[in-house]
Amino acid sequence: MTTYKPRVISLTKTPGQTFGFYLRVEQNEEGHLIRCLEMGGPAELAGMKDGDRILRVNGTFVDELSHSEQVVELVRDGGASVSFHILDESSYKKAKALGVKLSDPQLTPVANGATKEPPKLKLCYLVKTSSGYGFSLRSVRGEPGLFMTQVDSGRVAYNAGVRNEDRLLEVNGENIESYTHDEVVEKIKLGGKSVMFLLVDKETDSFYRNKKNKIGSWLATVKFLPLQPRFINLTKGSNGYGFLLKEDPGQGGHFIGEVDKGSPADKAGLRKMDRVVAVNGTDVDKCSHKQVVDWIRLCDNTCSFLVVDKDTDQMYKQGKVSPMLFWEEMKGSNSPPSYTEALSLPAPAQTSMAGRDKTEELRPKLCRMEKTSAGYGFHLNGIEGVLGQYITEVVKGGAADKAGMENDDVVIEVNGENVEQSTHAEVVNIIRRSGNTLEMLVARQDVYKQLKATGVKTTPLLLGETFKGKTRTAESPKPNREEEKQQQEEEDEARPETPPQQERQRTPSVSSSLSEDGIDERL
């Protein structure tokens, strides 16, 4: 099957300079064309070719937008640095002839003609505890910039993705590369109890220096951020989608009003006061209310939204970055199932990791542990002031390891109680009220994010009706696929018809010592 791989080209111009090309529409030619490349200009040096088509400008799909009123304005509004998704003329014409949907997120971008995804900068969000952030700043003689040092393992900065020797580029969306040490410290203090950093590690920094490319938040990954936007996929019902869209001039943006109970919008996870960031991959921040409504109407019977809740919106705004970064990063991954599809996923049948069904990977893990003299063998981590807990420092051969837990697993339930909206202290208390048996529903971070992105509620139901047979305990070794299948069949035959809620025993558990700052919990 023919694939179409756009190139991602980031151009930077100095004051008084142009990008070195003309953007044109021509009679009998489709698309926005690159023409009249300036020899030795930024565009030619970056790899643009005559006849190339621009598909996206700074992440916004433009192939179907008007030329002068929208596309040209998007380029101008980008300022001195703009990112383009480019498709060569031949591929573009073939794609159009075959009816390929060029806005499809499955199209894999290629950076400046390279097949390998370029390294990314890091956006890291830190929420201060009583003992601070857990890092120091230092400068290096002969090297520009400030660098992270003394990043304490298990503390706020480390948990947020900060590492020693990372170079600091931005504080709350403001470039600080020309600031002194004292000025940066003051800038961080002015942020109050939270701060958003843009960081680059040594390898990534070297990569872009060698290419003489300007770097900024448009090249960053958002995977370290504790809060993320959500994908909402809607299929119209007999009474429509079941929500109201409203414009809030005071806040700026397009917000979800009332959501009808039991409607497609309600079932898909759309919530009142969610802000709509994109419709079918198109950024709608700068669109009028009428334009957004028209986009939705053009969707026919299905529509995909990218939305953010209030807290997520606030976090992204603090870093002065668009939630479209999340869209750009996630669009290449396989779309996770809808809630209805997830509940009816078949039990796994493959026998190797390489041949596993993709849907199997979108399942959480139900882990039961018996406490030993060494405890449970894992750390419970969280960020103070931010909801959500995750697992770290799983001891090899310990109770948690034998039960199937892995580092960075997200904690969803503890002893049958959902803790996604619980604070670190609340989760610790649930564990402390337990005896010596602990049951935790967890999921790998990538699985959790994909399920949350489509509004899927992560519960033991996602393990299938026979989830009991796939629960691992600390007493038993991790079974192979054939053993799991055989064990499952035996339990299905022997198990009485008991509803899952009655069937599960909810015996809470005990944790050991609290860490100094209350963030980490040794278990």
Side-chain angles (χ1 to χ4, degrees), residues 15-26:
Q17 186 188 28
T18 68
F19 289 126
F21 72 93
Y22 280 82
L23 181 62
R24 300 184 59 180
V25 287
E26 298 176 359

PDB file of all heavy atoms in Angstrom, residues 15-26:
ATOM      1  N   PRO A  15      15.260  39.499  11.485  1.00  0.00           N
ATOM      2  CA  PRO A  15      14.539  40.740  11.154  1.00  0.00           C
ATOM      3  C   PRO A  15      14.935  41.263   9.781  1.00  0.00           C
ATOM      4  O   PRO A  15      16.118  41.330   9.438  1.00  0.00           O
ATOM      5  CB  PRO A  15      14.984  41.703  12.267  1.00  0.00           C
ATOM      6  CG  PRO A  15      15.313  40.814  13.419  1.00  0.00           C
ATOM      7  CD  PRO A  15      15.915  39.583  12.807  1.00  0.00           C
ATOM      8  N   GLY A  16      13.939  41.584   8.964  1.00  0.00           N
ATOM      9  CA  GLY A  16      14.185  42.091   7.624  1.00  0.00           C
ATOM     10  C   GLY A  16      14.368  41.009   6.585  1.00  0.00           C
ATOM     11  O   GLY A  16      14.423  41.288   5.383  1.00  0.00           O
ATOM     12  N   GLN A  17      14.471  39.753   7.017  1.00  0.00           N
ATOM     13  CA  GLN A  17      14.658  38.628   6.094  1.00  0.00           C
ATOM     14  C   GLN A  17      13.305  37.975   5.808  1.00  0.00           C
ATOM     15  O   GLN A  17      12.355  38.109   6.574  1.00  0.00           O
ATOM     16  CB  GLN A  17      15.611  37.603   6.715  1.00  0.00           C
ATOM     17  CG  GLN A  17      15.988  36.448   5.777  1.00  0.00           C
ATOM     18  CD  GLN A  17      16.767  35.363   6.501  1.00  0.00           C
ATOM     19  OE1 GLN A  17      16.603  35.171   7.699  1.00  0.00           O
ATOM     20  NE2 GLN A  17      17.623  34.653   5.774  1.00  0.00           N
ATOM     21  N   THR A  18      13.208  37.241   4.694  1.00  0.00           N
ATOM     22  CA  THR A  18      12.024  36.435   4.398  1.00  0.00           C
ATOM     23  C   THR A  18      12.402  34.970   4.542  1.00  0.00           C
ATOM     24  O   THR A  18      13.569  34.635   4.730  1.00  0.00           O
ATOM     25  CB  THR A  18      11.510  36.677   2.969  1.00  0.00           C
ATOM     26  OG1 THR A  18      12.465  36.150   2.044  1.00  0.00           O
ATOM     27  CG2 THR A  18      11.294  38.166   2.710  1.00  0.00           C
ATOM     28  N   PHE A  19      11.388  34.087   4.423  1.00  0.00           N
ATOM     29  CA  PHE A  19      11.674  32.661   4.467  1.00  0.00           C
ATOM     30  C   PHE A  19      12.281  32.160   3.156  1.00  0.00           C
ATOM     31  O   PHE A  19      12.761  31.028   3.072  1.00  0.00           O
ATOM     32  CB  PHE A  19      10.400  31.865   4.761  1.00  0.00           C
ATOM     33  CG  PHE A  19       9.905  32.015   6.181  1.00  0.00           C
ATOM     34  CD1 PHE A  19       8.615  32.416   6.445  1.00  0.00           C
ATOM     35  CD2 PHE A  19      10.751  31.744   7.242  1.00  0.00           C
ATOM     36  CE1 PHE A  19       8.167  32.545   7.754  1.00  0.00           C
ATOM     37  CE2 PHE A  19      10.320  31.870   8.536  1.00  0.00           C
ATOM     38  CZ  PHE A  19       9.011  32.278   8.810  1.00  0.00           C
ATOM     39  N   GLY A  20      12.223  32.999   2.118  1.00  0.00           N
ATOM     40  CA  GLY A  20      12.891  32.640   0.871  1.00  0.00           C
ATOM     41  C   GLY A  20      12.061  31.815  -0.086  1.00  0.00           C
ATOM     42  O   GLY A  20      12.614  30.995  -0.830  1.00  0.00           O
ATOM     43  N   PHE A  21      10.736  31.999  -0.105  1.00  0.00           N
ATOM     44  CA  PHE A  21       9.912  31.318  -1.100  1.00  0.00           C
ATOM     45  C   PHE A  21       8.603  32.079  -1.283  1.00  0.00           C
ATOM     46  O   PHE A  21       8.235  32.912  -0.453  1.00  0.00           O
ATOM     47  CB  PHE A  21       9.622  29.869  -0.697  1.00  0.00           C
ATOM     48  CG  PHE A  21       8.654  29.716   0.451  1.00  0.00           C
ATOM     49  CD1 PHE A  21       7.275  29.546   0.241  1.00  0.00           C
ATOM     50  CD2 PHE A  21       9.104  29.737   1.767  1.00  0.00           C
ATOM     51  CE1 PHE A  21       6.401  29.401   1.293  1.00  0.00           C
ATOM     52  CE2 PHE A  21       8.225  29.602   2.831  1.00  0.00           C
ATOM     53  CZ  PHE A  21       6.871  29.432   2.596  1.00  0.00           C
ATOM     54  N   TYR A  22       7.911  31.769  -2.371  1.00  0.00           N
ATOM     55  CA  TYR A  22       6.583  32.314  -2.603  1.00  0.00           C
ATOM     56  C   TYR A  22       5.560  31.213  -2.368  1.00  0.00           C
ATOM     57  O   TYR A  22       5.770  30.062  -2.758  1.00  0.00           O
ATOM     58  CB  TYR A  22       6.449  32.841  -4.042  1.00  0.00           C
ATOM     59  CG  TYR A  22       7.055  34.198  -4.259  1.00  0.00           C
ATOM     60  CD1 TYR A  22       8.434  34.335  -4.478  1.00  0.00           C
ATOM     61  CD2 TYR A  22       6.267  35.341  -4.247  1.00  0.00           C
ATOM     62  CE1 TYR A  22       9.008  35.579  -4.678  1.00  0.00           C
ATOM     63  CE2 TYR A  22       6.836  36.603  -4.449  1.00  0.00           C
ATOM     64  CZ  TYR A  22       8.199  36.711  -4.645  1.00  0.00           C
ATOM     65  OH  TYR A  22       8.767  37.944  -4.839  1.00  0.00           O
ATOM     66  N   LEU A  23       4.462  31.595  -1.752  1.00  0.00           N
ATOM     67  CA  LEU A  23       3.356  30.662  -1.540  1.00  0.00           C
ATOM     68  C   LEU A  23       2.254  31.042  -2.523  1.00  0.00           C
ATOM     69  O   LEU A  23       1.768  32.184  -2.509  1.00  0.00           O
ATOM     70  CB  LEU A  23       2.849  30.759  -0.096  1.00  0.00           C
ATOM     71  CG  LEU A  23       1.707  29.821   0.286  1.00  0.00           C
ATOM     72  CD1 LEU A  23       2.133  28.372   0.157  1.00  0.00           C
ATOM     73  CD2 LEU A  23       1.264  30.088   1.722  1.00  0.00           C
ATOM     74  N   ARG A  24       1.870  30.091  -3.399  1.00  0.00           N
ATOM     75  CA  ARG A  24       0.957  30.444  -4.479  1.00  0.00           C
ATOM     76  C   ARG A  24      -0.178  29.437  -4.640  1.00  0.00           C
ATOM     77  O   ARG A  24      -0.054  28.275  -4.240  1.00  0.00           O
ATOM     78  CB  ARG A  24       1.721  30.519  -5.814  1.00  0.00           C
ATOM     79  CG  ARG A  24       2.836  31.524  -5.860  1.00  0.00           C
ATOM     80  CD  ARG A  24       3.451  31.593  -7.238  1.00  0.00           C
ATOM     81  NE  ARG A  24       2.464  31.950  -8.260  1.00  0.00           N
ATOM     82  CZ  ARG A  24       2.742  32.078  -9.554  1.00  0.00           C
ATOM     83  NH1 ARG A  24       3.983  31.851  -9.986  1.00  0.00           N
ATOM     84  NH2 ARG A  24       1.808  32.398 -10.409  1.00  0.00           N
ATOM     85  N   VAL A  25      -1.268  29.907  -5.206  1.00  0.00           N
ATOM     86  CA  VAL A  25      -2.290  29.017  -5.756  1.00  0.00           C
ATOM     87  C   VAL A  25      -2.314  29.285  -7.256  1.00  0.00           C
ATOM     88  O   VAL A  25      -2.161  30.419  -7.692  1.00  0.00           O
ATOM     89  CB  VAL A  25      -3.692  29.274  -5.143  1.00  0.00           C
ATOM     90  CG1 VAL A  25      -3.740  28.765  -3.722  1.00  0.00           C
ATOM     91  CG2 VAL A  25      -4.079  30.746  -5.187  1.00  0.00           C
ATOM     92  N   GLU A  26      -2.472  28.231  -8.042  1.00  0.00           N
ATOM     93  CA  GLU A  26      -2.397  28.378  -9.483  1.00  0.00           C
ATOM     94  C   GLU A  26      -3.585  27.711 -10.158  1.00  0.00           C
ATOM     95  O   GLU A  26      -4.127  26.711  -9.650  1.00  0.00           O
ATOM     96  CB  GLU A  26      -1.089  27.757 -10.014  1.00  0.00           C
ATOM     97  CG  GLU A  26       0.158  28.437  -9.475  1.00  0.00           C
ATOM     98  CD  GLU A  26       1.447  27.758  -9.922  1.00  0.00           C
ATOM     99  OE1 GLU A  26       1.360  26.738 -10.645  1.00  0.00           O
ATOM    100  OE2 GLU A  26       2.514  28.256  -9.551  1.00  0.00           O
TER     101      GLU A  26
END
